Every structure is written in C-alpha cells, then in structure tokens.
Amino acid sequence: QVQLSESGGGSVQAGGSTRLSCVTGWHSTSNCVAWFRQAPGKEREGVAALSTGTRMTHYRDDVKGRFVISRAGPDYTVDLEMNNLKPEDTSMYICALRPVTHCRGVEAAAAFDIWGQGIWVNVSS
C-alpha cells in the first residue's frame, strides 16, 4: 500500500520561506503528485501539482511566482518550496497522489485517493 509522508513546515514569519517534502514511496516513474491545503473551517484546496514523469507543473493563481513544486532526488520525493509567505498561507498542507501519467491542472481533492497525514505551516505577520 502506498503511503505518503510529509515533512517540513512549522512557523514562519511573513515574507519568509519554508520547504515541504512528500516522500511518496510509490516506485513508478509517472504519477500526478499534488499539494493541497486546508485551513480550519475551510474547504481543502489544491495548491500545486506535478506530473513526475514529464515534470510539468500547475499552480493555483495566488501562489504562482511564490511556490515551486518539484521532484527531488531518486526516492520519489516531491518538494513544495514556499517563498514570500503571507499570513493567508497559514494552513495544514497535505500531499496527495494519483497513479496517472499526467495531472490535469490543479485538480479537486475528490480526484485523489492517496493522501498523507498533513503538516502545519503557520505564517505570522
């Protein structure tokens, strides 16, 4: 069974940076791996997605130019580098995987069956 394991995050001041990592443990060359976030009382929303085979990326509008999703290393780790963080980025960030070749943009959470536990990022002003 595929398990996703996230690391990184924590507390960051506004304008700062942090990096999240998702170890997928899914030893396939092509998957769609995405980062979602969910703040208390809000819907889970897609943040960024990566087709691991083609390395094509997709981002929600309010993180474009600030966040970078990438495949890191040979162990199928997908990182989310988060720069110029804003208080509104405060949320639990969750990694998800679809065993398909290509992501179809930043997709809805319902499209994903495999999830990590999530990790908190708290941005203070």
Side-chain angles (χ1 to χ4, degrees):
Q1 184 175 351
V2 175
Q3 292 184 330
L4 307 183
S5 176
E6 300 107 332
S7 62
S11 295
V12 187
Q13 286 197 325
S17 299
T18 194
R19 180 185 294 265
L20 308 180
S21 292
C22 173
V23 179
T24 68
W26 181 264
H27 298 283
S28 170
T29 56
S30 300
N31 293 295
C32 174
V33 179
W35 282 96
F36 287 78
R37 65 187 180 189
Q38 187 167 18
K42 294 192 175 181
E43 295 285 322
R44 186 168 294 190
E45 58 187 22
V47 175
L50 169 72
S51 300
T52 59
T54 63
R55 306 206 180 203
M56 182 171 290
T57 58
H58 308 275
Y59 299 93
R60 60 180 293 114
D61 286 345
D62 59 358
V63 306
K64 285 179 181 177
R66 300 191 297 124
F67 291 9
V68 178
I69 187 171
S70 62
R71 180 174 164 176
D75 59 350
Y76 303 96
T77 296
V78 174
D79 286 353
L80 183 69
E81 181 181 343
M82 306 163 66
N83 301 303
N84 190 21
L85 283 159
K86 304 176 181 180
E88 52 264 41
D89 294 318
T90 294
S91 191
M92 174 170 282
Y93 285 75
I94 312 121
C95 180
L97 182 147
R98 290 181 70 216
V100 296
T101 303
H102 298 288
C103 300
R104 297 175 300 194
V106 178
E107 299 174 79
F112 291 80
D113 295 322
I114 302 167
W115 293 89
Q117 295 296 309
I119 195 161
W120 272 99
V121 175
N122 182 48
V123 184
S124 57
S125 57

